[in-house]
Amino acid sequence: MKVRFTVNGRAATVEADAEMRLLDALRDELHLTGTKEGCGEGECGACTVLLDGRPVNSCLVLAAQAEGRDVLTIEGLAAGPQLHPIQQAFVDAGAAQCGFCTPGFVMSTYALLRDHPAPSDEEILTALEGNLCRCTGYVKIVDAVRRAAERLAEARAQETA
Amino acid sequence: MLRYVRVDTEADLLDALRKDGARLLSGGTDLIVKMRSGLVQPKSLVDPAAVPELRGIETAGGDLRIGAATPLAEILASREVGERAPLLADVLRVLGCVQIRNRGTLGGNLANASPAADSAIPLLLYEATLEVVGEGGTRSVPVDGFFLGPGRTVLERGEYIRAVHIPASRQDWITFFHKVGRRRALTIAIASVGGLAAFSRGSVAEVRLAAGSVAPIPLRLRSAEERLAGRALDEEAVQRAGALAAEEVSPIDDVRATARYRREVTRDLVARFLAQAAGA
């Protein structure tokens, strides 16, 4: 079957069988390999993308279920060579070691800061509860989220100034 | 060859579910995992996401009606749920994680019939009923009585859950839910206990207890409840109820914990709730 949806603002069409997951459609058909497959069963969050603006595990969504919907992946954040402020904050905070979990963390952070521009530590931990990191630990990741929130706030202040 | 069928109406849903090997696919957070590990091998997946009767939260009279395919995150964000069924909101807050709650549904959590289904605990306690639809029409099934065993429910072939009804109940409940697991998020409970209690002049006016992951199905702890009715919650009553609860469950040894540990946790959580309620 043909599945049509929007990815990072562009129309996409994928020829999918019923078993194809959104994760497979993104990586294998659309070659958007920034989204990673970790556990493949919804435990680790490495494959997190936003579906109609909400973080989901793309390994637990069938490609067919994305019909007509809006998908945002890690590739949709940067503006050309310019990293998104959340990505830059992860770099600056040293919040990555092997980096495999990072796209998922960045997508969860993106949804968090859109809804809660100045999150409490509790809100940060809840927003990231579905993302696992097995090497660097969470201190620098939480630090990166705080930095990103500050920078986004500064950028908004400059825009309105 | 697996087929994916998206339906827009309940008539089409019934029709599609009647076919041999058809499975209802909602959030997919359990079913897709089971399919990929080969535990289930459906011939078709029927997706009711676009059927309006299965979506949304309404209040009718004192009742709360939650469409079976409403995402858990939407239920958690609902003001009506927070006011009328606060324990359900408390439980959903610790069910899965953000990503799972954005996809998973109440109908799915129930129909999957895990002994560890978190949402079953508040629904048992609030004495919720399920609107079950099949070829023969609609029937009302109490959540207490819906589960038959791990992965097994009273749903017959071709039937589906349309909605969950939570009847109005007292506003003075003291609520409790605690699950023991190995990780804060995404934990499959080793044991969980939920409770509702109300007092009148220092004695228990009404108490309801339920436990998960300690029997083939999530269950009410009736003998402990009966023992407590009308009594003052002194130390002896608290300990006795905990002991009765531990006798009432039938846990197993598995990869997550031993049966003996689960019994102890059940006893201690029941006692913890009652001690907190007595002090509240």
Side-chain angles (χ1 to χ4, degrees):
Chain A
M1 75 192 111
K2 282 213 185 327
V3 180
R4 295 179 184 82
F5 52 102
T6 305
V7 182
N8 303 331
R10 290 185 179 176
T13 305
V14 168
E15 184 61 37
D17 63 27
E19 288 179 40
M20 183 185 283
R21 302 166 299 173
L22 177 58
L23 173 66
D24 308 319
L26 294 170
R27 287 183 55 86
D28 301 341
E29 304 300 316
L30 301 171
H31 308 296
L32 295 168
T33 53
T35 303
K36 305 301 183 194
E37 175 161 20
C39 66
E41 48 188 47
E43 297 280 341
C44 80
C47 66
T48 300
V49 301
L50 305 196
L51 184 65
D52 289 343
R54 296 193 179 85
V56 301
N57 294 306
S58 60
C59 73
L60 296 183
V61 180
L62 296 181
Q65 292 181 296
E67 170 73 34
R69 304 181 70 172
D70 183 64
V71 179
L72 183 68
T73 73
I74 189 74
E75 288 89 349
L77 297 192
Q82 180 81 38
L83 290 180
H84 186 278
I86 296 171
Q87 293 172 306
Q88 191 61 52
F90 270 70
V91 173
D92 295 345
Q97 211 167 90
C98 85
F100 202 80
C101 68
T102 312
F105 272 102
V106 170
M107 297 314 292
S108 289
T109 303
Y110 182 91
L112 167 71
L113 297 183
R114 180 199 57 207
D115 298 340
H116 303 277
S120 66
D121 284 358
E122 184 65 26
E123 283 169 335
I124 294 174
L125 292 176
T126 299
L128 302 182
E129 70 189 354
N131 294 84
L132 281 183
C133 170
R134 296 286 80 159
C135 37
T136 197
Y138 299 94
V139 173
K140 289 180 176 179
I141 291 172
V142 172
D143 184 33
V145 178
R146 287 198 203 99
R147 284 191 196 208
E150 285 163 18
R151 285 183 197 170
L152 288 166
E154 282 164 20
R156 274 191 304 275
Q158 278 178 4
E159 264 175 40
T160 50
Chain B
M1 182 76 175
L2 181 70
R3 289 178 66 232
Y4 170 84
V5 185
R6 186 176 188 156
V7 292
D8 297 321
T9 66
E10 288 202 280
D12 288 348
L13 176 56
L14 265 182
D15 209 40
L17 285 177
R18 205 168 22 220
K19 305 225 160 61
D20 185 43
R23 283 292 288 259
L24 192 145
L25 170 73
S26 195
T29 56
D30 285 306
L31 185 57
I32 292 177
V33 175
K34 283 183 176 172
M35 275 169 45
R36 292 182 60 83
S37 64
L39 277 174
V40 295
Q41 288 157 323
K43 290 184 181 154
S44 60
L45 296 172
V46 185
D47 186 347
V51 179
E53 288 86 349
L54 272 66
R55 296 293 288 251
I57 299 160
E58 288 160 33
T59 50
D63 276 23
L64 193 59
R65 179 195 187 275
I66 303 174
T70 309
L72 299 172
E74 200 176 307
I75 301 170
L76 182 52
S78 152
R79 193 171 51 84
E80 284 86 2
V81 172
E83 284 170 4
R84 289 164 189 249
L87 187 64
L88 176 61
D90 289 345
V91 169
L92 295 185
R93 207 167 283 121
V94 295
L95 188 156
C97 63
V98 173
Q99 290 93 323
I100 297 292
R101 291 193 294 271
N102 279 334
R103 295 294 297 163
T105 64
L106 266 194
N109 196 225
L110 296 172
N112 185 54
S114 163
D118 286 333
S119 74
I121 301 297
L123 295 178
L124 281 168
L125 292 168
Y126 285 125
E127 303 190 334
T129 57
L130 307 179
E131 212 176 305
V132 170
V133 183
E135 267 179 74
T138 305
R139 60 186 179 123
S140 178
V141 178
V143 172
D144 194 3
F146 176 73
F147 302 109
L148 297 177
R152 293 195 304 122
T153 71
V154 300
L155 283 182
E156 286 168 21
R157 198 177 139 186
E159 282 190 320
Y160 64 90
I161 306 169
R162 179 193 279 148
V164 178
H165 287 262
I166 300 175
S169 68
R170 49 201 314 153
Q171 294 297 303
D172 60 343
W173 287 125
I174 295 167
T175 64
F176 178 86
F177 178 75
H178 192 93
K179 69 172 163 176
V180 172
R182 298 184 66 172
R183 176 179 170 195
R184 196 180 86 138
L186 283 163
T187 272
I188 300 171
I190 287 170
S192 64
V193 167
L196 297 173
F199 293 87
S200 170
R201 295 199 191 90
S203 302
V204 174
E206 195 176 355
V207 65
R208 299 177 187 174
L209 301 166
S213 296
V214 289
I217 59 173
L219 78 169
R220 284 279 291 270
L221 302 170
R222 302 271 183 193
S223 56
E225 290 177 5
E226 280 161 23
R227 170 81 188 186
L228 289 163
R231 287 178 186 248
L233 271 189
D234 54 23
E235 179 66 18
E236 193 267 332
V238 167
Q239 293 307 324
R240 184 77 197 115
L244 279 171
E247 282 171 30
E248 213 165 347
V249 299
S250 51
I252 56 166
D253 293 329
D254 70 8
V255 290
R256 294 195 296 279
T258 62
R260 187 180 153 194
Y261 178 69
R262 289 186 155 104
R263 263 187 219 283
E264 287 179 16
V265 168
T266 306
R267 185 194 63 209
D268 291 351
L269 288 179
V270 166
R272 184 189 299 182
F273 165 48
L274 296 173
Q276 279 178 12

